[in-house]
Amino acid sequence: MSVMTFTVLTIFPEMIDAFSGIGMLRRAIEKGLVSCSSVNIRDFAEGKHKVTDDRPYGGGAGMVMKPEPIASAIRSAKATHPSAKTILLSPQGSPFSQHHARQLSTCEGLILVCGRYEGVDERICCDLIDDEISIGDFVLTGGELAAMVIIDTVIRLIPGVLGSTLSASNDSFEKQLLEYPQYTRPPSFEGQAVPEILLSGDHARIERWRLEASLKRTFLKRPELFKEKKLAGPEIDILKKWRIELEAIIQTQS
Ligand code: 4FD
């Protein structure tokens, strides 16, 4: 069994080191399934002050990360992990999704490059970066949170990281539907009862109820997800049942 290696290049290694000491990532590391190390880009900066940023050519607000320290840090990480894929986190990247995560989970290693300030010197992106990823259409003060989002999403797809291998394949985005509602004890909370079917022990009925609840939620909250989805037999059956029920309602109106 191979170890997936995450190497995060950052000027704030403390953020990554704190993250790797907590929760599912910590457990995955302890199980020997993944490794997660930070590399301080500042260690590759020259001079007494180890400067990693500078003013933009052409003027304008803010600072740009200098190319030399990042290039040296990437080359060092690539020398240690020759088969790893090098990814820059930036708002200009391709939009991250569960599909993306599934592809990345097959990589032997990821070198995640985190920029700060107003961005990274454009000449870094050209030959040292394999992929540029964005976790969404918003701007962060640095790529570190984006790197953590990617690590979190990818590790839970690695066999053995979650308690059960079924847990990840059960996820809403693997089925292209929103998750059904979940309940736990007590059976009544502040006047709201748990749906009776879930207490019935009838697993076939529970499964059908959950699928219908997932379809309802998706239809009401994220109808555009149906455009991407290939509907299965039981899903079509439920939509046909709705059609009959809706037609009955319309009939009573005319
Ligand atoms: N949406 C994201 C990633 C990084 C970031 C940065 C160039 C800015 C948002 C390179 C510009 C890095 C994202 C740092 N903001 N900020 O994934």
Side-chain angles (χ1 to χ4, degrees), residues 89-92 115 117-120 133-136 138-143 146:
L89 292 317
S90 104
Q92 289 97 52
Y117 318 109
E118 265 47 55
V120 177
I133 294 180
S134 164
I135 62 160
F138 42 80
V139 180
L140 302 164
T141 57

Side-chain angles (χ1 to χ4, degrees), residues 110-178:
L110 298 180
I111 297 167
L112 299 165
V113 182
C114 304
R116 281 259 155 189
Y117 318 109
E118 265 47 55
V120 177
D121 188 297
E122 187 63 27
R123 294 164 292 181
I124 281 302
C125 311
C126 312
D127 27 61
L128 291 170
I129 300 293
D130 299 316
D131 257 341
E132 202 174 348
I133 294 180
S134 164
I135 62 160
D137 288 341
F138 42 80
V139 180
L140 302 164
T141 57
E144 288 78 7
L145 284 168
M148 290 189 254
V149 166
I150 287 172
I151 294 169
D152 192 278
T153 312
V154 168
I155 60 157
R156 56 192 296 295
L157 300 177
I158 297 171
V161 170
L162 293 187
S164 143
T165 37
L166 287 177
S167 306
S169 54
N170 240 324
D171 281 347
S172 61
F173 282 108
E174 299 296 331
K175 292 184 293 188
Q176 316 224 51
L177 286 177
L178 299 185

Side-chain angles (χ1 to χ4, degrees), residues 209-234:
W209 180 88
R210 285 180 164 169
L211 180 58
E212 181 160 2
S214 281
L215 287 163
K216 266 184 207 166
R217 273 196 169 176
T218 308
F219 180 71
L220 292 173
K221 297 186 182 186
R222 297 289 306 278
E224 77 280 8
L225 291 179
F226 284 109
K227 292 198 195 92
E228 301 294 313
K229 182 169 164 57
K230 177 93 182 73
L231 288 161

